[in-house]
Amino acid sequence: MKEYKTVTEIAGPLVFVSDVSGVGYNEIVEIMTPDGEKRKGQVLDVGHNVAVVQVFGSTTGIGTEKTIVRFLGETMKLGLSPEMLGRVFNGLGEPRDKGPRIIPKEKIDITGLPINPYSRESPNEFIQTGVSTIDGTNTLVRGQKLPLFSGAGLPHNQLAVQIARQAKVLGTGEKFAVVFAAIGITHEEASFFMKDFEKTGALENAVLFLNLADDPSVERIITPRLALTTAEYLAYEQDMHVLTLITDMTNYCEALREISSARQEVPGRRGYPGYMYTDLSMIYERAGRVKGSKGSVTQIPVLTMPGDDKTHPIPDLTGYITEGQILLSRDIHRKNIYPPVDVLPSLSRLMNAGIGDEKTREDHKGVSDQLYAAYATGRDLRSLSAVVGEEALSATDRKYLQLADEFEKQFVQQGSYENREIEKTLSIGWDLLSILPEEELKRVKQKHIDRYLRKKE
Amino acid sequence: MAKKGRIVRISGPVVEAKLPDAKLYDVVHVGEAGLLGEIIKIVGDISVIQVYEDTSGLKPGEEAASTGEPLSVELGPGLLESIYDGIQRPLKVIEEKSQGAYIARGIVVNALDRKKKWDFKATAKKGDKIKAGDIIGTVQETELIEHRIMSPVEGKIESIKSGKYTIEDVVATVASHKGKKEQVKLYQKWFVRKSRPVIEKFPPNIPLVTGQRIIDTFFPIAKGGTACIPGPFGSGKTVTQQSLAKYSDTRIVVYIGCGERGNEMTEVLKEFPHLEDPNTGKPLMQRTVLIANTSNMPVAAREASIYTGVTIAEYFRDMGYDVALMADSTSRWAEAMREIGGRLEEMPGEEGYPAYLARRLAEFYERAGRVRCQSSRERYGSVSIIGAVSPPGGDLSEPVSQNTLRVTKVFLALDAPLAYRRHFPAINWLKSYSLYPDNLEDWFTKNVSSDFLDQVNTSMSLLQKEAELEEVVQLVGPDALPEKEQAILLITKMLREDFLQQNAFSDVDARCEMDKQYEMLKTILQFHEKTKDALDLGIQLKRIQELPEIGKIGRMKEMADVKDVKNLQKEIGSSFDSLSKG
């Protein structure tokens, strides 16, 4: 261990230490302020005898004199143990729930190594979330990363909790765990999650990492990595199926930008660093299944789109990495529909691998495609009828209009404690399709029409 | 010749080291872990190295050793069916060496298997005078592909023998003019950043038949041509690229997953060995080389992956094959350049991208082409490049899209609104273009039909007319249009839903042959002509709309036999006849 008292410059979250030797890149640092407070940090750049240290927490109280910097000679690691289940930690992985310290069985680097694409198993097991707009039209599968794109004031947290509560794989009794990472959310939001986990008994199978809004923003870089290291440990070492909820990724990216600007880096779009895509991918890509392990890591990151703008760099880069997105819409929310999922721009890229005969039901893909196409047509007609009036539409077009309305009321709308079986979701789908004349149903197979549509009459 | 030096600075993937005799682009092993890197800048005695692996824990003072050679790829039997990372390390061997699902650091592996024995059949004989690039023998690498061994040197063959060899064995010796004896092995090395020489480049005049109707009929790509597929996320770039990789009529496919999703690459890996080559029925993997550098794998290797891929493609081209190269996505490649440029503290150009972005993109696409291969005998091959572009927010005014559009000849515009309504492939027919139809006209006339391009033009003008009519409909509703124009909407709906839409997940529809494409289009246009005539005779549009043939046109896609489509044309003829009779 090496100690230095040679702090030469402090700028925002960065501390420059001179005359160092033998310091490694990404090494962990302990800083003692003159008042005896202890902070942690990480080496961002080292060379020409100067180390640039990024401090987790505030740099208040750190001075150029009397501050001691200790280089620990190892990169950031997290002590892991199955005992972590049921526990609450802060954003740096220290217990927050007054419980005892964790005695680690293993210490693992939190950055994580990239998974060899050759060693991955392709995700293809259907997860039933009990939410029709997900199960029916944007199916989630084990090992997928499917973010919720939301906006400020929309009920994304409620939906995230509902998914965590209801998610299950049909017909199996395997070990299941939730890892929850809160990044820069308010105390109020955090206690909403805690209460819900406690109330439903989910807490005993959950690990919580909380970095709240008033916690240092630099910690936010660490929190999701701690959560994912834990998730990987539980999945690949303990054979559990882990659902990882991360909220809110927008706060993470803000922290990234803050550090980047403190380092005086060349900014990319809207001031976010040019490496944000790579950085985000190192979080999102830690979802999946690997050969030789029964477990899986499924990720549901939540992000709030600044100004509800899907082309903002945060949702944009996320969408390029994740396997689809569930988009919440303010318009639908205003109609008092919960969950306010706008299915048209929503997408699950792995859906086709997880549905169909023996997984959900043979008609699933057809029903989903038909609902999509019909709802899209109905939505277009809605704006048309606003101009020309409903009477000017043809009889068939009026049916489409009716379908779009009913789709939102019956299919999208459900209670926050309503857990719909996939059979139920699909039969609502067929009810809606029965509004249309049969020859309009081009996306569903005739035999499925015979089997499922006629039954209704 | 290893030259050793010391590391002086580390900043993410960029490491500075004091190295004697350093040359630009030399490969360097960095630190105790022996991480692989490449010199990208030299200032005085300081070499700036971009490192292909995570640099955590690396310290100033650790050793850096230059190999004295630039980054190169190994070219020889064993390339096919392989899956490599961005710097041609086989991922399967990495898995064995890492002993787990993660890619450990500092792993050094050979790109080609050194132990496997190949059955070499000599086609040249002792005493033959050969030039560089001449084929001296063959190896049946997979059931599908014969690997042609080309001599990298010029001279007179002194010895050559058929037999079973590993790639390190000498299969022939060649006496060069200077009297030097050169040994020829089954493999050779080539620097990734340098394109392989050719005798001449020709304008492309044969289409790359992809089996995708909207591409082959409306926006054809030529063998040896370039195409770009830009689109926002979720619009189906990857599905389109994969369909092209699966169903194109090229002999070799090189697929580069550059900074994309891990699960997607896994899907390709799982799927390709089970897919059949449309012409031979053998597994598709036998003609494929995969390069997978996912988004979370080191960014410097992502930068190199494009060069690795295109060099392998050129090598197969030199054997006289048609090669298709898919790069998904070139935006991630450009971002890798930006990230490294930023670490080098270079003065940024537009949106933070380095000022040399346009040049690099142009250089990459210029490596495509239909060529006469370097050899003393006449031999032709081609590399077609199809690059995906991921513009931020789907906005094509950004630098990567703009610079790509300047150099590519086919533009397939993927469209989010089409994707939302599950119209796949979500290629917007009004925005896309291809500059090849003129070059390909002769081929179409000879191999499909002389009226093929006329049909295409007629359909295109109908679709353009539809866009105009839609604007009117938005204002006054469809019923206010005259029947003739309503009829156009009926036909364009057929064109969109029953021709342009194609189901990548259907056994029959995933690949559509040229003759079927032609007949399908002909059927729809015949329906159009008949409708026009019928309306002129005073028959109401409503009666035409009730014809059962409309539903049958919708099922043409699933007809496995072209005869059924032709029969439908007869049916349409007779039912219009009976309509006009009353």
Side-chain angles (χ1 to χ4, degrees):
Chain A
M1 208 188 307
K2 301 184 187 81
E3 274 190 15
Y4 293 93
K5 288 186 179 178
T6 46
V7 174
T8 49
E9 191 184 331
I10 301 144
L14 305 183
V15 170
F16 295 75
V17 191
S18 62
D19 299 328
V20 297
S21 70
V23 168
Y25 176 71
N26 268 349
E27 186 172 329
I28 287 297
V29 174
E30 266 180 14
I31 299 172
M32 303 283 285
T33 68
D35 303 336
E37 265 187 73
K38 202 158 89 179
R39 309 268 164 77
K40 272 190 170 175
Q42 191 172 19
V43 176
L44 279 190
D45 191 324
V46 55
H48 308 295
N49 298 334
V50 178
V52 183
V53 176
Q54 165 184 315
V55 181
F56 307 129
S58 99
T59 41
T60 319
I62 298 178
T64 50
E65 284 171 41
K66 288 185 187 162
T67 297
I68 302 169
V69 182
R70 207 174 276 153
F71 292 90
L72 301 183
E74 59 170 26
T75 49
M76 185 90 175
K77 289 196 166 77
L78 179 67
L80 293 161
S81 148
E83 313 271 286
M84 291 171 87
L85 286 169
R87 298 291 304 274
V88 183
F89 302 90
N90 70 9
L92 285 180
E94 292 150 0
R96 197 189 167 105
D97 55 0
K98 303 186 185 97
R101 277 185 53 233
I102 297 293
I103 297 157
K105 292 229 156 114
E106 229 174 310
K107 280 188 117 182
I108 292 179
D109 195 311
I110 64 157
T111 337
L113 290 165
I115 299 177
N116 188 338
Y118 189 81
S119 310
R120 282 181 187 266
E121 287 283 347
S122 44
N124 56 10
E125 289 169 294
F126 169 66
I127 298 181
Q128 180 177 293
T129 63
V131 179
S132 291
T133 39
I134 298 177
D135 294 350
T137 46
N138 295 289
T139 315
L140 177 71
V141 299
R142 268 182 183 168
Q144 187 175 12
K145 39 195 180 293
L146 188 65
L148 296 181
F149 283 13
S150 182
L154 296 180
H156 44 264
N157 288 339
Q158 218 174 330
L159 181 59
V161 163
Q162 185 174 5
I163 295 169
R165 192 170 53 223
Q166 297 179 168
K168 67 168 181 189
V169 172
L170 294 181
T172 52
E174 287 155 317
K175 286 190 285 182
F176 190 80
V178 173
V179 173
F180 176 74
I183 308 171
I185 64 171
T186 61
H187 198 273
E188 212 172 311
E189 285 169 311
S191 59
F192 164 77
F193 282 106
M194 297 278 293
K195 271 199 196 120
D196 197 274
F197 283 135
E198 270 168 27
K199 193 167 74 187
T200 56
L203 190 61
E204 53 188 282
N205 284 319
V207 186
L208 279 66
F209 293 90
L210 304 179
N211 165 283
L212 300 186
D214 58 348
D215 286 334
S217 64
V218 190
E219 265 185 41
R220 287 169 199 161
I221 303 297
I222 300 297
T223 312
R225 295 188 160 83
L226 295 175
L228 287 163
T229 307
T230 312
E232 284 173 345
Y233 171 75
L234 294 175
Y236 307 140
E237 311 266 325
Q238 307 291 324
D239 289 336
M240 300 181 96
H241 292 285
V242 185
L243 183 70
T244 314
L245 293 178
I246 306 176
T247 180
D248 174 334
M249 283 305 288
T250 304
N251 295 332
Y252 173 85
C253 295
E254 295 299 335
L256 206 62
R257 177 163 69 173
E258 192 183 329
I259 292 161
S260 171
S261 86
R263 294 176 68 183
Q264 302 185 336
E265 289 169 338
V266 181
R269 256 198 335 150
R270 299 218 194 171
Y272 293 97
Y275 51 79
M276 192 156 91
Y277 178 82
T278 308
D279 192 280
L280 283 175
S281 75
M282 288 170 75
I283 293 179
Y284 295 139
E285 277 291 333
R286 293 174 79 174
R289 293 168 58 210
V290 299
K291 281 183 202 164
S293 164
K294 283 188 204 137
S296 65
V297 177
T298 309
Q299 258 190 55
I300 301 188
V302 177
L303 60 87
T304 45
M305 299 178 284
D308 292 352
D309 175 12
K310 205 173 77 156
T311 66
H312 184 281
I314 299 172
D316 191 55
L317 295 180
T318 300
Y320 276 122
I321 305 166
T322 54
E323 285 129 359
Q325 66 278 336
I326 303 291
L327 197 109
L328 303 190
S329 137
R330 202 165 295 277
D331 288 340
I332 298 179
H333 181 60
R334 280 205 198 100
K335 287 187 189 164
N336 223 352
I337 290 171
Y338 172 87
V341 175
D342 188 354
V343 295
L344 295 186
S346 298
L347 170 73
S348 165
R349 291 167 188 271
L350 302 181
M351 175 168 179
N352 288 327
I355 62 171
D357 208 7
E358 290 183 6
K359 285 176 176 165
T360 52
R361 213 169 72 180
E362 50 176 0
D363 56 325
H364 193 155
K365 181 169 164 52
V367 172
S368 169
D369 286 352
Q370 188 69 63
L371 283 173
Y372 255 104
Y375 180 55
T377 311
R379 284 260 292 256
D380 285 351
L381 289 166
R382 208 182 264 169
S383 42
L384 178 61
S385 78
V387 182
V388 298
E390 208 173 307
E391 292 71 28
L393 299 179
S394 70
T396 314
D397 284 353
R398 280 202 291 272
K399 298 268 194 214
Y400 271 107
L401 212 53
Q402 188 196 348
L403 179 131
D405 292 337
E406 291 302 319
F407 180 80
E408 286 168 10
K409 277 184 212 147
Q410 295 180 32
F411 193 85
V412 181
Q413 167 100 286
Q414 68 183 88
S416 60
Y417 279 85
E418 185 181 349
N419 190 352
R420 282 189 195 153
E421 296 290 327
I422 182 67
E423 293 279 337
K424 167 90 175 157
T425 293
L426 290 175
S427 79
I428 296 174
W430 280 108
D431 286 348
L432 293 169
L433 293 180
S434 69
I435 295 172
L436 297 177
E438 203 182 303
E439 61 270 19
E440 290 291 316
L441 305 181
K442 283 188 181 176
R443 311 269 177 135
V444 276
K445 289 192 176 145
Q446 191 60 45
K447 64 173 184 185
H448 295 159
I449 294 181
D450 297 342
R451 195 169 304 162
Y452 299 102
L453 189 70
R454 297 270 158 79
K455 214 164 69 179
K456 301 284 151 217
E457 286 158 11
Chain B
M1 271 207 305
K3 289 163 192 151
K4 286 178 184 170
R6 301 260 159 229
I7 298 173
V8 294
R9 184 183 167 202
I10 302 128
S11 169
V14 173
V15 168
E16 291 175 15
K18 261 192 189 167
L19 269 177
D21 282 344
K23 294 195 304 295
L24 203 60
Y25 293 124
D26 278 359
V27 171
V28 182
H29 293 283
V30 178
E32 283 158 16
L35 310 179
L36 208 59
E38 186 183 18
I39 299 176
I40 50 170
K41 189 167 145 186
I42 300 172
V43 186
D45 59 346
I46 300 288
S47 298
V48 182
I49 302 159
Q50 73 173 14
V51 180
Y52 297 124
E53 296 176 78
D54 182 28
T55 51
S56 290
L58 212 59
K59 292 173 185 160
E62 282 184 45
E63 193 176 271
S66 168
T67 57
E69 273 186 14
L71 189 67
S72 40
V73 285
E74 292 184 355
L75 303 168
L79 282 170
L80 294 172
E81 296 183 277
S82 284
I83 163 161
Y84 293 115
D85 75 351
I87 46 175
Q88 217 203 0
R89 295 186 303 178
L91 289 171
K92 193 178 169 186
V93 184
I94 291 182
E95 183 187 51
E96 286 156 17
K97 287 217 177 185
S98 301
Q99 296 182 345
Y102 298 103
I103 300 177
R105 293 194 298 162
I107 288 183
V108 181
V109 289
N110 288 320
L112 297 174
D113 192 339
R114 292 291 189 273
K115 289 194 189 114
K116 186 163 180 180
K117 290 212 166 180
W118 299 95
D119 203 358
F120 173 72
K121 287 199 179 70
T123 53
K125 56 186 187 303
K126 192 180 165 182
D128 282 0
K129 279 187 182 157
I130 52 164
K131 288 220 155 110
D134 280 355
I135 293 168
I136 56 162
T138 60
V139 163
Q140 194 67 39
E141 184 174 352
T142 65
E143 286 173 289
L144 273 180
I145 302 295
E146 174 193 81
H147 196 111
R148 298 165 185 163
I149 307 298
M150 294 170 287
S151 166
V153 292
E154 190 176 324
K156 196 173 153 189
I157 296 179
E158 291 218 316
S159 71
I160 184 165
K161 208 178 158 203
S162 302
K164 287 197 181 283
Y165 296 101
T166 68
I167 58 164
E168 290 277 26
D169 294 334
V170 177
V171 295
T173 50
V174 176
S176 73
H177 300 309
K178 290 167 197 152
K180 238 172 100 186
K181 282 194 183 173
E182 305 273 1
Q183 297 184 328
V184 178
K185 296 177 180 175
L186 289 180
Y187 83 113
Q188 49 180 296
K189 284 190 172 184
W190 193 266
F191 306 145
V192 287
R193 290 175 198 277
K194 194 175 147 195
S195 55
R196 288 175 61 87
V198 298
I199 291 181
E200 200 185 346
K201 277 200 178 183
F202 299 100
N205 60 2
I206 302 168
L208 177 78
V209 179
T210 63
Q212 309 301 303
R213 284 187 291 269
I214 185 159
I215 298 177
D216 293 345
T217 299
F218 286 97
F219 310 109
I221 305 171
K223 286 199 173 107
T226 51
C228 69
I229 313 183
F233 62 80
S235 57
K237 277 187 300 299
T238 301
V239 176
T240 309
Q241 286 266 32
Q242 290 184 3
S243 293
L244 294 181
K246 286 177 207 164
Y247 303 119
S248 298
D249 65 342
T250 52
R251 291 301 298 277
I252 307 280
V253 170
V254 179
Y255 190 97
I256 312 171
C258 174
E260 286 291 310
R261 304 175 181 87
N263 280 334
E264 249 165 34
M265 282 320 295
T266 310
E267 203 183 301
V268 172
L269 285 178
K270 293 259 149 46
E271 204 179 354
F272 273 42
H274 301 291
L275 285 169
E276 286 176 4
D277 177 58
N279 300 318
T280 56
K282 298 276 189 284
L284 212 50
M285 205 59 198
Q286 293 195 0
R287 62 161 200 184
T288 310
V289 183
L290 289 172
I291 294 169
N293 211 88
T294 58
S295 53
N296 58 337
M297 283 157 75
V299 69
R302 192 199 303 165
E303 195 265 339
S305 65
I306 292 283
Y307 295 108
T308 304
V310 74
T311 308
I312 292 173
E314 283 177 342
Y315 173 68
F316 280 106
R317 172 204 67 192
D318 289 347
M319 294 179 201
Y321 290 124
D322 290 318
V323 186
L325 176 94
M326 320 286 165
D328 185 14
S329 141
T330 55
S331 295
R332 306 295 161 234
W333 177 51
E335 277 164 15
M337 282 188 247
R338 172 166 75 182
E339 198 172 325
I340 292 159
R343 303 269 186 190
L344 291 175
E345 290 162 13
E346 288 172 343
M347 181 68 83
E350 222 179 327
E351 289 197 18
Y353 287 103
Y356 46 78
L357 172 74
R359 176 172 58 84
R360 292 276 195 97
L361 280 167
E363 278 171 1
F364 166 60
Y365 283 106
E366 261 314 282
R367 290 176 82 166
R370 195 171 74 86
V371 306
R372 182 169 165 204
C373 312
Q374 205 196 30
S375 168
S376 57
R377 302 246 176 101
E378 221 170 308
R379 192 164 75 229
Y380 298 91
S382 72
V383 173
S384 317
I385 297 184
I386 297 147
V389 183
S390 323
D395 172 15
L396 294 181
S397 67
E398 56 92 37
V400 182
S401 307
Q402 283 304 312
N403 287 315
T404 305
L405 285 176
R406 284 221 301 273
V407 290
T408 52
K409 293 284 194 298
V410 179
F411 168 59
L412 301 172
L414 290 174
D415 206 41
L418 287 175
Y420 293 168
R421 51 181 63 231
R422 297 299 187 255
H423 175 113
F424 287 118
I427 297 171
N428 186 309
W429 50 92
L430 295 176
K431 288 188 198 148
S432 306
Y433 61 77
S434 163
L435 302 180
Y436 290 123
D438 291 345
N439 295 9
L440 304 176
E441 196 174 347
D442 288 347
W443 190 93
F444 283 132
T445 309
K446 218 170 113 193
N447 295 285
V448 187
S449 168
S450 54
D451 64 346
F452 178 71
L453 287 180
D454 290 337
Q455 276 198 12
V456 172
N457 291 335
T458 313
S459 315
M460 204 38 141
S461 45
L462 282 174
L463 287 166
Q464 261 150 8
K465 181 80 182 164
E466 181 191 36
E468 288 165 28
L469 292 176
E470 284 294 337
E471 280 175 31
V472 181
V473 170
Q474 287 290 325
L475 292 174
V476 297
D479 291 343
L481 292 178
E483 288 215 323
K484 270 204 167 157
E485 295 188 336
Q486 289 188 36
I488 291 181
L489 293 182
L490 176 72
I491 302 300
T492 53
K493 191 178 176 203
M494 285 179 194
L495 283 173
R496 282 187 284 110
E497 294 184 358
D498 307 331
F499 187 82
L500 295 178
Q501 274 187 25
Q502 195 164 346
N503 187 351
F505 300 98
S506 150
D507 292 338
V508 179
D509 200 32
R511 180 186 160 91
C512 185
E513 299 294 341
M514 276 317 288
D515 57 340
K516 188 179 166 195
Q517 298 191 16
Y518 170 75
E519 294 298 340
M520 283 174 76
L521 198 59
K522 192 173 169 183
T523 312
I524 296 174
L525 291 178
Q526 180 209 15
F527 196 93
H528 178 221
E529 288 303 319
K530 296 278 177 196
T531 306
K532 275 202 295 192
D533 295 347
L535 290 176
D536 284 343
L537 287 173
I539 295 165
Q540 279 189 319
L541 182 63
K542 215 178 126 202
R543 289 184 57 202
I544 297 171
Q545 280 167 331
E546 282 163 0
L547 288 177
E549 280 74 22
I550 294 183
K552 285 186 187 162
I553 286 178
R555 284 193 287 280
M556 280 191 302
K557 290 182 204 177
E558 293 297 332
M559 293 177 185
D561 194 342
V562 188
K563 275 187 208 142
D564 294 337
V565 182
K566 285 187 180 161
N567 286 338
L568 180 58
Q569 290 167 5
K570 280 181 209 142
E571 275 181 51
I572 291 171
S574 52
S575 43
F576 270 97
D577 283 349
S578 48
L579 261 189
S580 53
K581 276 172 202 148

